């Protein structure tokens, strides 16, 4: 039903009723978002109550920071307006979450630079400048993909990366920002002497056996986690038995006293990624909290338990 002449407003009157500027009304009208009820004798636009209702709705949507294309989708699809609006709001929430994470990261990074000694500022700026905001874990994942056995099954690789690559905290403190930036620098640095060598003690399993080896090691690390968290002295037990059994299966043998002695020597001769795991522990530990166990700290605990077990048996 068309509006009576008494219910028609000029662009200025509509703007005043909606508490917006004339420029705003003209913009939405030019975009085809506001229905015109007609034109005056002089060709000026006239708007009715439907335009006022539509304009207020647009203001509400824009107040939620929805972009104009999303506003148009909501207005154009009247039959599915509820679903379209829900999808648009959900999408904006995801975007806003990413923006907030970036802002929190930048705030912690600024505090890190602001509070550090002057002679360390340039080095910290260099580290931070190489990291995106919010930070990406792509460099860390590439590092481990180069370290893991070639042709290792994708599912096993993904499972290992899940425990080996720390996710940046949503609300980091400066220490966590610095630790992650150092991890990024460490894993982005070009390797010397060819590709990263996988530890010889792991290579024996081959591509197929590596999946089972790493899955079994992760189980052993989970068993050792509570011991590490409570800062218990490394000692034989269920976690160590699972740890040795994982290697024994990879070597096609059984968990015997001779194998434990041999494994102790093999593990002692391998290079460690201690610095990686130290930084990872900082990234994962909330401000004021106790360090969470990492695969590295669990492996170190289990190696110490194995060395103690071997020594006592001797």
């Amino acid at each position: 039903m068309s509006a009576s002449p008494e219910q028609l407003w000029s662009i200025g009157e509509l703007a005043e009723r909606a508490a917006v500027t004339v420029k705003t009304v003209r913009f939405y009208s030019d975009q085809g978002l506001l229905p015109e009820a007609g034109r005056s004798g002089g060709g000026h636009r006239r708007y009715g109550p439907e335009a006022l209702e539509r304009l207020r709705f647009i203001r509400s949507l824009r107040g939620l920071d929805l972009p104009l294309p999303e506003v148009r989708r909501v207005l154009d699809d009247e039959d599915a307006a509820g679903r379209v609006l829900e999808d648009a709001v959900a999408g904006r929430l995801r975007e806003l979450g990413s923006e907030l994470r970036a802002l929190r990261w930048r705030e912690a990074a600024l505090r890190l630079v602001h509070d550090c000694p002057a002679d360390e500022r340039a080095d910290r700026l260099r580290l931070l400048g190489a990291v995106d905001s919010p930070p990406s874990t792509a460099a860390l994942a590439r590092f481990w993909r180069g370290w893991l056995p070639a042709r290792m099954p994708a599912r096993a690789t993904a499972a290992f990366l899940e425990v080996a690559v720390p996710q940046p905290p949503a609300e980091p403190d400066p220490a966590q920002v610095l630790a992650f930036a150092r991890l990024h620098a460490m894993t982005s640095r070009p390797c010397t002497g060819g590709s990263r060598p996988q530890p010889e003690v792991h290579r024996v399993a081959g591509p197929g056996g590596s999946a089972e080896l790493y899955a079994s090691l992760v189980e052993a690390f989970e068993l050792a986690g509570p011991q590490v968290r409570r800062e218990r002295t490394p000692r034989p037990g269920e976690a160590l038995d699972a740890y040795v059994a994982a290697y024994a299966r990879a070597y096609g043998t059984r968990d015997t006293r001779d194998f434990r002695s041999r494994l102790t020597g093999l593990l002692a001769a391998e290079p460690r990624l201690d610095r990686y795991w130290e930084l990872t522990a900082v990234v994962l530990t909330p401000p004021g909290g106790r360090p969470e166990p990492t695969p590295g700290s669990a492996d170190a605990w289990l190696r110490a338990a194995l060395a103690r077990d071997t020594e006592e048996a001797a």
Side-chain angles (χ1 to χ4, degrees):
M1 182 173 64
S2 61
S4 65
E6 293 79 13
Q7 292 178 302
L8 296 182
W9 309 303
S10 68
I11 191 170
E13 290 170 332
L14 176 61
E16 183 178 359
R17 287 174 179 269
V20 298
T21 65
V22 170
K23 183 179 179 180
T24 297
V25 176
R26 184 174 289 115
F27 172 76
Y28 289 135
S29 188
D30 290 343
Q31 293 292 319
L33 299 180
L34 289 180
E36 294 180 18
R39 296 268 178 165
S40 68
H44 298 293
R45 295 164 174 166
R46 288 291 182 264
Y47 300 92
E50 183 183 356
L52 178 60
E53 182 180 350
R54 174 71 68 88
L55 184 54
R56 286 171 172 165
F57 187 48
I58 292 172
R59 286 190 63 202
S60 297
L61 296 177
R62 294 293 283 160
L64 294 175
D65 205 22
L66 292 184
L68 195 61
E70 295 296 333
V71 172
R72 185 183 299 278
R73 286 182 59 225
V74 174
L75 297 175
D76 288 349
D77 195 345
E78 294 183 1
D79 293 336
R83 176 183 56 78
V84 174
L85 177 58
E86 183 178 342
D87 291 345
V89 171
R92 186 59 190 132
L93 279 172
R94 288 192 295 270
E95 294 172 4
L96 189 59
S98 180
E99 293 169 11
L100 287 172
R101 286 194 297 273
L103 287 173
R104 293 185 186 112
W105 176 271
R106 289 172 189 160
E107 180 186 18
L110 285 169
R111 292 188 183 281
L112 177 66
V113 174
H114 180 269
D115 297 339
C116 76
D119 59 346
E120 296 180 16
R121 197 159 290 150
D123 182 59
R124 293 192 177 184
L125 284 171
R126 177 184 57 80
L127 286 170
L128 295 171
V131 181
D132 294 332
S133 181
S136 167
T137 58
L140 282 65
R142 282 195 300 271
F143 171 85
W144 284 110
R145 289 183 187 279
W147 187 89
L148 292 170
R151 301 184 303 280
M152 184 168 165
R155 182 175 296 181
T157 298
F160 182 84
L161 292 178
E162 187 174 347
V163 298
V165 176
Q167 296 301 313
E171 299 185 16
D173 67 358
Q176 290 173 304
V177 168
L178 180 59
F180 189 89
R182 284 175 171 163
L183 272 178
H184 184 275
M186 173 185 176
T187 55
S188 301
R189 191 177 303 123
C191 290
T192 57
S195 60
R196 297 183 184 90
Q198 185 203 7
E200 185 64 36
V201 71
H202 291 177
R203 260 184 244 166
V204 68
S210 293
E212 181 181 356
L213 172 61
Y214 284 105
S216 298
L217 287 177
V218 168
E219 291 178 6
F221 295 158
E222 290 175 350
L223 290 172
Q227 309 295 328
V228 176
R229 189 177 290 108
R230 298 187 183 101
E231 300 180 351
R232 296 279 178 80
T233 301
R235 61 181 184 274
E238 181 184 9
L240 179 60
D241 291 345
Y243 185 68
V244 175
Y247 281 108
R249 285 192 295 271
Y251 278 75
T253 186
R254 295 180 299 105
D255 177 3
T256 64
R257 181 53 58 190
D258 287 343
F259 179 73
R260 290 197 175 205
S261 178
R262 178 188 172 198
L263 181 61
T264 301
L266 290 171
L267 292 172
E270 288 292 353
R272 298 289 304 277
L273 292 173
D274 291 339
R275 184 57 175 160
Y276 180 94
W277 298 118
E278 288 171 2
L279 293 171
T280 296
V282 175
V283 172
L284 296 177
T285 303
R290 300 181 66 180
E292 285 296 312
T294 66
S297 61
D299 186 68
W301 191 93
L302 288 163
R303 288 192 190 204
L306 178 61
R308 177 179 178 180
D309 181 57
T310 302
E311 181 180 351
E312 290 178 351

